[in-house]
Amino acid sequence: SKQAADGTWGPYQTEAHAFGLLGLCLQTLATCGHGARHPAIVAGQRVLDRELAGPLHVMEWYGGHGSIITYSAATVLLFYEALHGDPRPTASAPLRPLPARVRRHIEALTAWLLRSRNASGWRYPYTNTEGRTDLSNMVYALMGLHAAARLGQEIGDNAWLRAARQVLALQSPDG
């Protein structure tokens, strides 16, 4: 593993990517069966605890602590789902309770994703909320929101309907 002593993935993880790479690496480990007590996941969660301790704000290119972009929020939500989610919750086997700090992180990341969208969808945020939507940002945002919903976070029907309208509005006439 190229994981650094501080819990990040060393030179591969830069401020420009906030903690998105960390989310991807942790999601991969959790998906491969490593649990919450695995040393790499414990170290990575310490980074998340530090980064998600305060208010989240839109990244202003190289933003620093608390800065976030759509990909980062989504990959962390996907990690939490891989680590804590039951792929098939039912009435007889509902979701397991989440640790309080994880629940707070999920709530903060979900709220950030919902408020970071502009009138036409998600895009590279930085500080400009106008401009063309980026479909890859939209897909990641929706995957993150879907993961949060599967972990019990309320998203609201309006968010899904609005996203569907935004995607359809971007479809070219030839399909």
Side-chain angles (χ1 to χ4, degrees):
S1 169
K2 297 279 187 185
Q3 189 179 30
D6 67 356
T8 65
W9 260 260
Y12 306 105
Q13 186 170 333
T14 65
E15 284 188 54
H17 296 103
F19 43 88
L21 178 62
L22 176 64
L24 283 174
C25 292
L26 294 174
Q27 178 195 9
T28 300
L29 292 172
T31 299
C32 291
H34 294 293
R37 293 191 176 132
H38 187 277
I41 289 180
V42 169
Q45 287 190 106
R46 278 195 302 266
V47 176
L48 292 176
D49 290 343
R50 181 178 67 244
E51 290 296 320
L52 297 172
L56 300 176
H57 53 84
V58 172
M59 186 172 181
E60 298 175 18
W61 199 236
Y62 293 100
H65 182 75
S67 292
I68 190 167
I69 60 175
T70 303
Y71 295 108
S72 299
T75 61
V76 172
L77 289 168
L78 290 164
F79 157 63
Y80 284 137
E81 181 190 26
L83 187 64
H84 296 289
D86 181 342
R88 294 163 291 172
T90 64
S92 61
L95 288 170
R96 296 172 297 209
L98 295 170
R101 69 178 172 67
V102 170
R103 171 63 51 210
R104 285 190 305 274
H105 294 176
I106 291 168
E107 289 169 359
L109 292 165
T110 299
W112 186 90
L113 281 171
L114 291 172
R115 76 175 178 267
S116 70
R117 151 177 68 189
N118 70 16
S120 62
W122 285 270
R123 60 180 303 280
Y124 289 99
Y126 308 119
T127 57
N128 180 4
T129 59
E130 299 305 316
R132 197 175 127 123
T133 294
D134 179 85
L135 283 173
S136 67
N137 270 269
M138 185 173 289
V139 167
Y140 264 83
L142 293 172
M143 288 190 312
L145 291 172
H146 195 236
R150 288 189 302 257
L151 288 168
Q153 181 67 37
E154 180 61 38
I155 304 300
D157 291 339
N158 187 49
W160 302 117
L161 293 171
R162 184 175 169 196
R165 282 193 303 270
Q166 290 167 331
V167 169
L168 290 171
L170 293 169
Q171 187 177 22
S172 60
D174 64 356

